[in-house]
Amino acid sequence: MVRAGVLTFGDFVTKSGRQTPYFVNTGNYGTGAQAAKLGETYARCIHERIGSVNVLFGPAYKGIPLATATAVALHTQYGEDVGYCFNRKEAKDHGEGGNMVGCKLKDGDRVVITEDVVTAGTSVRETLPLLQKAAHITIAGLIVSVDRMEKGVHGKTAIQELYEDFGIQTYPLVTVREILSALYNIEIDGKIVIDDAMKTRMENYMEQYCSEK
């Protein structure tokens, strides 16, 4: 993530207006090698933690390449041929119309949602009605690249709220606390991305906004 410019450190503002010293943007992935590695990691998470699924759903826009790469990896790594689909931001008004692209959902499908980061859970909440309207499906899980572990106004994380509100279990590839632990004082391509000063900034931010676990 660091080498791809997906995980960066500095001064940023989240959608909620918080000043954060770290930022995650999977939109910066841009090569076949990166997509392959990411797909393999998502696929391994599904294989080891969720089990059998029928369809991967990638919310537009960043979830689309995640679902595609993961579907390919499930086939090449585990011999599992699953469908994948995604939504349009604007419904198509010609041809067949509609706002879904890819595998057509059917009753009984077990669907995994592939996302980049969950901050407030807005994207998932917006796409759930779309999935439920398409067919009587079960959300087998939500996979995200990074769990920022941030608490909302009620003191719970977005991941906790998604589970309590919809029963959706979220599986992060890595948490922000794991990132701090893994990268502190580690040199990447000749540069230490989390030095003592950045570690202090991250710890202060997490103390104010993040959950303990």
Side-chain angles (χ1 to χ4, degrees):
M1 288 191 292
V2 173
R3 287 192 170 115
V6 169
L7 172 61
T8 50
F9 302 89
D11 297 288
F12 310 95
V13 180
T14 66
K15 286 183 180 180
S16 58
R18 294 173 177 175
Q19 300 284 336
T20 176
Y22 49 90
F23 195 72
V24 178
N25 178 15
T26 60
N28 285 337
Y29 286 121
T31 72
Q34 292 166 354
K37 182 67 174 179
L38 194 61
E40 289 169 5
T41 309
Y42 271 69
R44 184 166 66 249
C45 181
I46 292 173
H47 186 74
E48 294 178 354
R49 307 188 65 186
I50 298 177
S52 177
V53 301
N54 303 100
V55 181
L56 306 179
F57 175 77
Y61 289 102
K62 293 178 183 177
I64 297 173
L66 296 177
T68 307
T70 303
V72 172
L74 282 171
H75 176 62
T76 57
Q77 298 293 315
Y78 303 104
E80 299 174 8
D81 190 17
V82 304
Y84 66 92
C85 61
F86 53 91
N87 63 304
R88 305 176 190 271
K89 285 288 188 178
E90 300 83 20
K92 185 178 179 182
D93 59 1
H94 60 280
E96 294 181 349
N99 53 8
M100 291 284 285
V101 180
C103 176
K104 296 188 182 302
L105 295 173
K106 61 183 184 301
D107 292 351
D109 277 344
R110 283 173 52 81
V111 178
V112 166
I113 301 174
T114 56
E115 266 280 31
D116 57 346
V117 180
V118 171
T119 301
T122 304
S123 175
V124 176
R125 293 176 183 274
E126 289 177 347
T127 55
L128 274 178
L130 178 66
L131 294 174
Q132 293 165 341
K133 180 180 179 181
H136 295 290
I137 54 95
T138 297
I139 304 297
L142 163 68
I143 302 181
V144 297
S145 290
V146 178
D147 178 6
R148 288 185 62 99
M149 306 178 73
E150 298 203 17
K151 295 178 288 187
V153 294
H154 302 296
K156 298 178 181 179
T157 68
I159 285 176
Q160 290 170 332
E161 291 175 349
L162 286 174
Y163 182 76
E164 291 182 2
D165 292 347
F166 306 105
I168 296 176
Q169 183 71 50
T170 301
Y171 302 90
L173 302 184
V174 67
T175 70
V176 67
R177 295 189 185 279
E178 290 171 337
I179 286 174
L180 176 56
S181 176
L183 296 184
Y184 173 56
N185 269 342
I186 297 298
E187 187 175 292
I188 299 178
D189 297 335
K191 180 182 179 181
I192 294 177
V193 294
I194 302 182
D195 55 15
D196 289 338
M198 179 55 66
K199 178 175 182 288
T200 298
R201 291 184 61 194
M202 292 179 69
E203 288 175 337
N204 290 340
Y205 183 87
M206 288 188 284
E207 182 179 355
Q208 183 174 4
Y209 294 117
C210 298
S211 66
E212 292 297 323
K213 60 181 180 176

